[in-house]
């Protein structure tokens, strides 16, 4: 890690938009959402509701960014089609 | 060269006049006795079109400093003034300003803190703020207030420094005392103080993030970097002072010596009280007593080297504080600092503290004569009985009234 | 304090005591002297007794305490004499300048003062010329006449640069009138 001579001036962050390069998902609750693409109607409610922006919009379908997903279950609760199910981390995958 | 103008200005007016010539972009202030005149004059200058600055009349000192922080972060030249309770209310933001390394200049008309309610002069306010990471300059009279306000902007904005500066003058005793002040021409100030050249201004084209979280893995590195910058700033301050002296025919120093030739004992003073103390030194010298005086200009960063040099060879030093650091071992902060600075010195003088002139108590030449008598006695006995004694206070253990 | 002339002004809040002290300092500054002018920093209230101080010197002035042994005492309001010891510390060879209807001889006896005394009815001059009992400018006329501390011209120049138009003119008239009507003991 940087010494006091190497850290930026007064700890300023000098590169803008660097949040993208930060991986913040080193933890999740003991469960994670799994999408059943068959049931999904691409209504995008999960995409709106996810507090972590962990639902990724793709061409005609949604995907979950498991690195940032915190496993809160909001997406599963809000999905009108029952397309998201919370599964225990222990259940394989 | 044309003779310079000498204007009749009190300390506050001298500060306002200097600030006007330094052309700040933003002034954010809340009036509080005894600095009110500064802010009044500056708002006049802005209203009359003599100064092209954004004058923000804020609702508190906390906001005044916050506004200055924002303005300075944008790259503006920012200024404010305050005193006593106002500085106390600013306390939180003082650390933010210095930790962001923002060049902000602030005049402080030194005044006691409540309670009991007191609007008069002492240094409880700025001495309490000594660890906020600001450079602190103390002035004796209106001329010094004028000269050092101009230098403060140069110091603060120098890329080797980039720290906020407090320019202190004693409330009422200097702030409300009219004296002749030799002012520089606008051109002279312009040549000494170029426009600010900000290093990392907030800019949507080139964004930076200021004031983010500093986790324990980074906080010490960032703080030590600030400490090194603060300590090193003394070299830049000296350099700027030298340039100012040479350009404008002044003779200021970081530690100023008065009649110290052959002195065995000396007073070490700060601020306007130095003037009255010099009179006492003159009287003692007339009687053949080996007495001198040292005036400290800079309290932060503390000029350890200069002080050690000036104090070596003396037998006794009487340190005149203008506040009490309650429960500390040495009465006042200046006395603590001086003693600490001398601790490792061989043949160090005895050091005794004299917290003086609290809450506006008028300190006279006679008080200093008593202090000097005490110092001469210590020199004779080569022993110190007490670390400090309050001066200008009735009752046992004090030098009154 | 070699060569410093110290002046103490007594009066009441609202009478322009501080202004008188400052105008005197500015007049001396105009003559190239070193000066200092400051009020006694009290809780200022309209009508309360207040003090202000002026120091004038050829050499730089270091001292910053209040003035305890003045060379000159100026009393703008004769009623403060009842509550304030105006002559306290006044040098024996100094001057006491009082706005009063009394003659200097009478005052000298009343106050048992050793110093020289000059009086003037500055209140009537101010009421007549300025329309209000602002005695701070006329009393300077008497101060100049008796002590010669600064030149009358210097006081007039400072009044011109401090006040505007008719106000300046009337204040100058008041100074000149007081200068002429000054009563000095034995003169
Ligand atoms: S579980 Fe929570 S965090 Fe994860 S995708 Fe669903 S709403 Fe977002
Ligand atoms: S809320 Fe359910 S149906 Fe709608 S997009 Fe998300 S997963 Fe598909």
């Amino acid at each position: 890690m940087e010494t006091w001579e190497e850290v930026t001036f007064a700890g300023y962050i000098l590169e803008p938009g660097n949040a993208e390069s930060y991986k913040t998902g080193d933890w999740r609750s003991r469960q994670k959402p799994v999408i059943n693409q068959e049931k999904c109607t691409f209504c995008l409610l999960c995409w709106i509701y996810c507090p972590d922006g962990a639902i990724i919009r793709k061409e005609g379908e949604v995907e979950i960014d498991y690195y940032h997903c915190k496993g809160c279950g909001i997406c599963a609760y809000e999905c009108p089609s029952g397309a998201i199910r919370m599964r225990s981390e222990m259940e394989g995958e | 060269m044309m003779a310079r103008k000498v204007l009749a200005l009190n300390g506050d007016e001298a500060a306002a006049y200097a600030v006007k010539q330094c052309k700040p972009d933003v002034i954010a202030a809340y009036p509080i006795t005894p600095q009110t005149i500064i802010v009044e004059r500056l708002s006049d200058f802005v209203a009359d079109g003599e100064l092209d600055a954004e004058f923000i009349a804020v609702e508190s000192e906390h906001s005044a400093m916050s506004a200055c922080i924002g303005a300075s972060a944008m790259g503006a030249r920012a200024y404010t003034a305050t005193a006593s309770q106002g500085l106390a209310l600013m306390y939180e933001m003082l650390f933010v300003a210095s930790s962001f390394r923002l060049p902000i200049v602030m005049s402080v008309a030194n005044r006691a803190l409540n309670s009991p309610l007191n609007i008069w002069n002492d240094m409880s306010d700025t001495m309490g703020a000594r660890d906020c990471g600001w450079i602190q300059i103390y002035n004796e009279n209106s001329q010094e207030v004028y000269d050092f306000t101009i230098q403060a902007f140069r110091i603060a904005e120098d890329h080797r420094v980039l720290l906020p500066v407090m320019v202190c003058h004693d409330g009422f005793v200097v702030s409300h005392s009219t004296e002749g002040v030799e002012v520089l021409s606008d051109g002279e100030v312009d040549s000494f103080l170029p426009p600010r050249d900000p290093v990392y201004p907030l800019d949507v084209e080139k964004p930076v993030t200021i004031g983010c979280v500093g986790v324990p893995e980074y906080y010490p590195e960032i703080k030590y970097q600030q400490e090194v910058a603060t300590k090193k700033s003394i070299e830049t301050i000296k350099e700027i002072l030298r340039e100012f002296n040479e350009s404008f025919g002044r003779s200021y120093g970081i530690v100023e010596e008065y009649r110290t030739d052959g002195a065995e004992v000396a007073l070490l003073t700060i601020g306007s009280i130095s003037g009255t103390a010099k009179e006492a030194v003159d009287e003692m010298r007339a009687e053949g007593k080996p007495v001198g005086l040292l005036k400290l200009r800079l309290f932060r960063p503390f000029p350890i080297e200069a002080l050690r040099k000036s104090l070596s060879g003396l037998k006794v030093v009487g340190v005149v504080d203008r506040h009490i650091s309650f429960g500390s071992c040495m009465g006042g902060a200046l006395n603590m600092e001086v003693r600490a600075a001398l601790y490792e010195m061989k043949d160090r003088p005895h050091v005794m503290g004299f917290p003086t002139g609290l809450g506006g108590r008028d300190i006279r030449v006679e008080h200093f004569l008593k202090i000097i008598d005490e110092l001469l006695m210590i020199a004779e006995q080569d022993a110190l009985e007490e670390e400090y004694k309050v001066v200008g206070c009735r009752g046992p253990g004090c030098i009154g009234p | 304090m070699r060569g410093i002339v110290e002046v103490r002004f007594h009066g009441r809040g609202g009478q322009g005591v501080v202004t008188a002290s400052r105008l005197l300092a500015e007049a001396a500054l105009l003559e190239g002297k070193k000066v200092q002018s400051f009020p006694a920093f009290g809780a200022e209230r309209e009508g309360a007794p207040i003090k202000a101080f002026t120091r004038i010197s050829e050499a730089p002035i270091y001292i910053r305490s209040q003035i305890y042994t003045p060379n000159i005492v100026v009393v703008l309001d004769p009623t403060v004499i009842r509550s304030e010891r105006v002559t306290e510390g006044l040098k024996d060879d100094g001057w006491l300048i009082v706005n009063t209807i009394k003659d200097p001889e009478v005052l000298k006896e009343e106050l048992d003062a050793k110093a020289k005394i000059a009086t003037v009815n500055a209140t009537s001059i101010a009421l007549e010329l300025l329309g209000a009992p602002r005695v701070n400018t006329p009393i300077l006329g008497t101060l100049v006449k008796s002590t010669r501390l600064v030149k009358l011209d210097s006081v007039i120049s400072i009044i011109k640069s401090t006040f505007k138009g008719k106000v300046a003119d009337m204040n100058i008239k008041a100074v000149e009138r007081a200068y002429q009507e000054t009563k000095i003991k034995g003169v």
Side-chain angles (χ1 to χ4, degrees), chain B residues 8 13 120 178-179 276 362, chain C residues 22 37 41 62 64 66 68:
Chain B
E13 291 165 342
W120 292 268
T178 304
E179 299 172 273
T276 308
D362 195 33
Chain C
R22 181 159 176 159
S37 156
F41 319 110
Y62 293 127
R64 302 201 79 98
Q66 296 185 9
Y68 298 93

Side-chain angles (χ1 to χ4, degrees), chain A residues 64-81:
Chain A
I64 287 161
D65 168 4
Y66 288 114
Y67 198 86
H68 292 104
C69 166
K70 293 284 166 269
C72 68
I74 290 174
C75 54
Y77 182 84
E78 294 294 343
C79 173
S81 323

Side-chain angles (χ1 to χ4, degrees), chain B residues 62-97:
Chain B
H62 190 281
S63 304
M65 187 44 60
S66 303
C68 284
I69 289 169
S72 189
M74 286 296 294
R77 180 168 288 165
Y79 172 84
T80 186
T82 193
S84 59
Q85 313 300 127
L87 186 70
L89 184 53
M90 242 180 220
Y91 194 69
E92 178 188 3
M93 301 317 287
L94 294 178
F95 284 89
V96 176

Side-chain angles (χ1 to χ4, degrees), chain B residues 28 49 99 119 176 184 221 226 269 274 298 316 329 334 337 346 353 375:
Chain B
S99 304
I119 60 160
H176 284 54
L184 306 177
E221 282 73 21
Q226 182 184 347
T269 57
S274 312
L298 199 62
V316 188
C329 46
L334 183 55
E337 205 95 18
K346 283 208 178 66
L375 300 180

Side-chain angles (χ1 to χ4, degrees), chain B residues 65 69 87-102 106 124-136 138 162-166 219 223 226-227 230 299-301:
Chain B
M65 187 44 60
I69 289 169
L87 186 70
L89 184 53
M90 242 180 220
Y91 194 69
E92 178 188 3
M93 301 317 287
L94 294 178
F95 284 89
V96 176
S98 60
S99 304
F100 284 6
R101 303 283 305 276
L102 294 174
M106 170 161 67
S124 302
D125 48 7
T126 52
M127 281 294 160
R130 66 185 181 273
D131 291 336
C132 293
W134 284 57
I135 290 170
Q136 288 192 334
Y138 288 84
L162 294 172
L163 286 167
V165 181
M166 271 182 219
Y219 192 86
K223 288 285 117 177
Q226 182 184 347
E227 159 70 352
T230 310
F299 188 68
R300 284 288 181 270

Side-chain angles (χ1 to χ4, degrees), chain A residues 31-37 39 64 66 69 71 73-79 81-89 91-93:
Chain A
Q31 44 174 7
K32 66 182 191 185
V34 179
I35 300 177
N36 180 344
Q37 297 292 354
K39 286 189 178 175
I64 287 161
Y66 288 114
C69 166
I74 290 174
C75 54
Y77 182 84
E78 294 294 343
C79 173
S81 323
I84 305 180
R85 194 169 79 84
M86 298 306 289
R87 281 175 52 183
S88 163
E89 294 276 7
E91 276 179 49
E93 212 205 272

